[in-house]
Amino acid sequence: MRIHGVNLSLGYDFDPQWFACGQSPLCKEVNKLVRTGVVVVVAAGNSGYGSLAVKQDAPTKFGLSMTINDPGNAELAITVGSTHRDAPHAYGVSYFSSKGPTGDGRRKPDLVAPGERITSCAAGRNLDAVVEGTVGDDTAFYVEETGTSMAAPHVSGAIAALLSVRREFIGRPDEVKAVVLKAATPLGRTSDFEGAGLLDLMRALQSF
């Protein structure tokens, strides 16, 4: 079996006291994996909104830039931010979605995809929250989840569909990334928020 792509719906805060941006061990491993021919899609993180302590009477909650999580800071990864599920053009980039640029000035995220109130399989703590008592192994539970961890799989699925049609791109992750980003639809926000824009699989397929 050959792995064509990996989805990483996980992340942690970039800490400049430990490693330079994009140079942590995990970021380096992501870049190495891409160089072996595997597409790697990573969630940007949910650190794009937070509170700041101020002494004067002033707003304390702000949208925060330079909040891309590792390993989303990996240069070769396709880093995905979140947007509204049904009306991305109206609502733009999700307030919580981590914003760029990276700590060393590179453009991230690479693009955005639906990440708000996405129906997903319940597992772990989410499963415990919806299940009471013992249930059969053949019973499936679903929950609505929000975050860039929900947005990244949209991109992974779209790329899997793309590779199923254009198999000559298997093992060429840099070209896959270029095709997907070029086909993205701008939402009218800055690139530090939306990257290249909203994922558009049909445009990517029609670009050949």
Side-chain angles (χ1 to χ4, degrees):
M1 180 181 293
R2 180 180 177 184
I3 304 300
H4 298 154
V6 173
N7 183 89
L8 296 176
S9 285
L10 50 83
Y12 57 93
D13 293 344
F14 156 63
D15 188 345
Q17 296 181 9
W18 287 95
F19 300 99
C21 187
Q23 299 299 318
S24 68
L26 186 51
C27 285
K28 287 186 174 181
E29 289 302 316
V30 166
N31 287 333
K32 285 170 60 178
L33 183 59
V34 174
R35 291 189 182 102
T36 69
V38 177
V39 178
V40 181
V41 178
V42 183
N46 304 321
S47 310
Y49 188 79
S51 300
L52 299 176
V54 293
K55 296 181 179 180
Q56 293 81 15
D57 290 333
T60 59
K61 296 184 182 296
F62 302 90
L64 304 175
S65 61
M66 294 178 66
T67 51
I68 301 295
N69 290 186
D70 277 353
N73 284 305
E75 181 177 0
L76 302 183
I78 300 176
T79 305
V80 183
S82 169
T83 189
H84 193 270
R85 179 179 67 178
D86 301 317
H89 291 276
Y91 293 103
V93 179
S94 303
Y95 73 95
F96 57 80
S97 186
S98 289
K99 313 299 192 300
T102 63
D104 59 343
R106 291 174 287 115
R107 189 179 85 167
K108 289 281 182 176
D110 292 299
L111 75 169
V112 293
E116 297 183 28
R117 300 185 64 182
I118 305 301
T119 301
S120 181
C121 300
R125 287 176 296 179
N126 291 332
L127 180 61
D128 294 337
V130 297
V131 174
E132 295 182 1
T134 304
V135 297
D137 293 336
D138 59 345
T139 304
F141 290 89
Y142 298 89
V143 294
E144 280 190 349
E145 284 293 311
T146 293
T148 58
S149 288
M150 297 291 104
H154 282 86
V155 177
S156 295
I159 290 174
L162 176 66
L163 293 180
S164 73
V165 175
R166 302 304 299 258
R167 298 186 62 83
E168 67 271 24
F169 282 90
I170 293 174
R172 296 155 65 183
D174 291 340
E175 295 177 57
V176 170
K177 181 177 181 178
V179 167
V180 172
L181 297 192
K182 185 177 181 181
T185 300
L187 297 178
R189 276 65 178 183
T190 67
S191 61
D192 290 341
F193 277 58
E194 68 172 29
L198 178 67
L199 172 71
D200 191 329
L201 174 60
M202 289 305 297
R203 183 177 293 168
L205 290 170
Q206 293 167 355
S207 65
F208 298 103

